[in-house]
Amino acid sequence: IDRVCQNRGCWFTLVDDSVEATIRIRMQDYAFFVPMDSMGHEVTFEGTLELQEVPQDLAQHYADDEAAANGQEARVVDGPELTYQFMITGAEVH
């Protein structure tokens, strides 16, 4: 796990050397959350990979949360963004 939502643990991102882009993971229907201190841990999850257009306001929310998690200034989102995300139904943080 690379980054975790620091408000509730309602999303996290993954990084892997074999993948160029960050992969966002969201919990289906906000049915559960991951611990906010999960950064650096491995995770096993089950769900569906989707290509999704993220509206500007939600993309800015993600950018703000990611910046807060890293102690950095948020990037400015100037329109909707296409991104891949997993919508998951279960996860186990190791």
Side-chain angles (χ1 to χ4, degrees), residues 23-26 48-52 54 62 83-87:
I23 301 169
R24 179 169 303 281
I25 312 298
R26 292 183 51 215
T48 305
L49 179 65
E50 305 171 335
L51 176 61
Q52 179 182 39
V54 179
Y62 290 155
T83 185
Y84 283 98
Q85 75 172 7
F86 272 99
M87 186 64 70

Side-chain angles (χ1 to χ4, degrees), residues 46-65:
E46 181 177 294
T48 305
L49 179 65
E50 305 171 335
L51 176 61
Q52 179 182 39
E53 181 175 277
V54 179
Q56 180 179 355
D57 61 334
L58 185 56
Q60 187 64 61
H61 169 72
Y62 290 155
D64 294 344
D65 283 354

